[in-house]
Amino acid sequence: MGEIITIHRHMLDTEQKYPHATGKFTALLHHIALAARIVAAEVRRAGLAGVIGTSGSLNIQDEEVQKLDILAHETVEKLMIESGYVAAMASEEVPDIIVAPDDHRRGNYIVNFDPLDGSSNIDANVSIGTIFSILPRATPKEVEPSEADCMQSGRKQLASGYVIYGSSMMFVYTTGAGVQGFTYDPTIGTFLLSHKNIRTPEYGKIYSVNTGNKKFWSEGVRNYIESLHDKDEERQTPFSSRYIGSLVADFHRNLLYGGIFLYPADTKKDPNKPKPKLRLLYEANPLAYVVEQAGGKASDGTRPIMDIEPTELHQRVPLFIGSRKNVEELEEYIRRYDT
Ligand code: AFP
């Protein structure tokens, strides 16, 4: 039997060694893990409690909101505020930033999160997840936190990660010193270190993309995907196609097995203006930090995701993420055909 390391012990032992990891930072991470356990309980009870299904309203991305999205959002928001370590938050589910009350509960960290990613999969019992990004406060303490605090580039992240509610629940995160994965043990009620220092393969043979959008992609992306179907021993093609439609689940599988996840911009809605779908602050940036820390790469096709200076709170970006060499190959196709 290997050494049993709880998430609590790991965070205390490891994170305290880093300059930005104060006790408060570690405690904030604990509150995120706690929020995940509460959300997981709701996800598991969903069928029984009758909360599955759409609530009928639209979120600010014009997508149908499901009840669990709202529950997950409220759980994360409440725990972050009650932790006393957060100044402001941005969530996929609300149009404006959430500012912590100006009392003992206002801290100095910023948390951007997608409370329940892949929620359109809930009814089919497919894996879904929570994604988070932790930043330092950008504005001085003396002023009210503002959008500028949430709209920082990915390079400013202090920590990021995700929780996956799948056949088992996992908490995967980085604070800039590698990527650690913990699996929840329901018999003792805690996360245990199961995936120490995750490294993603340099090159993988899986590609994940919604090929239903193929006609609406750029020539570079179309040609790249086509090339993955050809037989080429050197490139190890044809690749295997795997697409769940739940970013956390698709990303997590590729992180472990190697490959590339793509959500390119497409002209489905406007033939003259390619539009991306995924959000920079609480989807692309946190996963980009994780993948870079695991030796992989995240790009919008021409530049690293984490170098993008945000211009909108709910900004969308093309996302190409996974094994380093796969992402570089894709970038080469974009350079050759789209620029
Ligand atoms: P939902 O949270 O609305 O289900 O969106 C999920 C998501 O943002 C991301 O998790 C998936 O990778 C992507 O959308 C799937 O989008 P398509 O259904 O357009 O392929």
Side-chain angles (χ1 to χ4, degrees):
M1 195 159 102
E3 197 184 358
I4 295 175
I5 300 176
T6 63
I7 195 166
H8 192 79
R9 194 187 126 194
H10 185 272
M11 282 177 181
L12 282 175
D13 287 358
T14 320
E15 309 312 336
Q16 291 296 322
K17 291 182 193 146
Y18 301 103
H20 57 250
T22 61
K24 288 180 181 172
F25 181 72
T26 306
L28 175 60
L29 282 168
H30 279 297
H31 276 78
I32 292 179
L34 178 59
R37 284 167 50 187
I38 297 171
V39 172
E42 297 295 345
V43 169
R44 270 199 308 272
R45 277 199 302 260
L48 296 168
V51 288
I52 276 185
T54 58
S55 65
S57 56
L58 296 180
N59 72 12
I60 45 137
Q61 322 282 354
D62 275 342
E63 297 157 340
E64 223 169 37
V65 172
Q66 298 190 279
K67 286 181 182 171
L68 273 176
D69 296 57
I70 298 166
L71 274 172
H73 166 82
E74 286 173 356
T75 304
V76 179
E77 178 186 336
K78 188 170 163 34
L79 273 147
M80 291 301 95
I81 293 205
E82 293 307 325
S83 77
Y85 305 125
V86 172
M89 292 166 270
S91 160
E92 186 193 354
E93 294 302 329
V94 292
D96 302 317
I97 62 161
I98 303 152
V99 174
D102 188 14
D103 56 24
H104 64 282
R105 287 172 297 173
R106 183 178 289 175
N108 279 322
Y109 291 108
I110 304 298
V111 180
N112 294 333
F113 63 97
D114 182 350
L116 211 55
D117 182 72
S119 51
S120 59
N121 282 317
I122 293 170
D123 287 336
N125 220 344
V126 169
S127 298
I128 50 182
T130 297
I131 313 177
F132 64 90
S133 161
I134 303 178
L135 297 147
R137 202 181 153 169
T139 54
K141 262 192 199 164
E142 297 69 40
V143 301
E144 271 296 284
S146 66
E147 278 198 350
D149 289 305
C150 296
M151 287 170 49
Q152 301 184 59
S153 86
R155 295 275 169 229
K156 300 270 169 58
Q157 292 175 107
L158 299 174
S160 76
Y162 56 88
V163 184
I164 179 164
Y165 311 105
S167 48
S168 55
M169 172 166 57
M170 275 196 77
F171 185 98
V172 177
Y173 84 110
T174 184
T175 55
V179 179
Q180 315 302 332
F182 299 81
T183 302
Y184 188 68
D185 183 341
T187 59
I188 55 172
T190 191
F191 285 100
L192 300 178
L193 182 61
S194 53
H195 296 63
K196 197 176 174 186
N197 216 356
I198 299 173
R199 301 296 297 167
T200 196
E202 260 210 322
Y203 189 69
K205 292 171 58 181
I206 293 175
Y207 76 99
S208 312
V209 68
N210 183 346
T211 43
N213 298 330
K214 187 174 167 183
K215 283 196 172 166
F216 307 98
W217 296 333
S218 70
E219 199 187 348
V221 174
R222 266 201 321 270
N223 287 346
Y224 171 71
I225 296 295
E226 276 301 316
S227 79
L228 302 181
H229 301 160
D230 296 335
K231 192 163 168 54
D232 180 336
E233 269 170 33
E234 204 184 321
R235 285 181 76 204
Q236 302 173 44
T237 54
F239 279 12
S240 291
S241 161
R242 299 281 183 275
Y243 190 70
I244 298 169
S246 209
L247 177 62
V248 172
D250 279 310
F251 174 83
H252 183 69
R253 180 204 51 239
N254 291 5
L255 182 75
L256 298 182
Y257 299 163
I260 181 168
F261 172 93
L262 310 91
Y263 212 111
D266 63 61
T267 53
K268 226 166 29 176
K269 289 199 176 137
D270 182 346
N272 301 313
K273 202 163 178 246
K275 286 199 177 126
K277 172 171 181 177
L278 300 181
R279 296 74 167 183
L280 174 63
L281 295 179
Y282 39 81
E283 290 184 315
N285 268 341
L287 298 186
Y289 194 23
V290 169
V291 89
E292 279 198 12
Q293 283 294 315
K297 212 170 164 174
S299 164
D300 72 348
T302 57
R303 63 197 156 150
I305 287 289
M306 288 204 287
D307 288 350
I308 299 173
E309 286 298 332
T311 52
E312 283 171 46
L313 193 63
H314 295 282
Q315 187 170 344
R316 297 171 189 257
V317 285
L319 179 63
F320 306 102
I321 190 165
S323 297
R324 187 178 58 78
K325 286 187 177 164
N326 299 66
V327 175
E328 284 169 0
E329 260 186 15
L330 172 276
E331 284 177 324
E332 181 50 39
Y333 271 78
I334 290 193
R335 250 192 309 276
R336 203 181 313 158
Y337 294 100
D338 297 343
T339 51

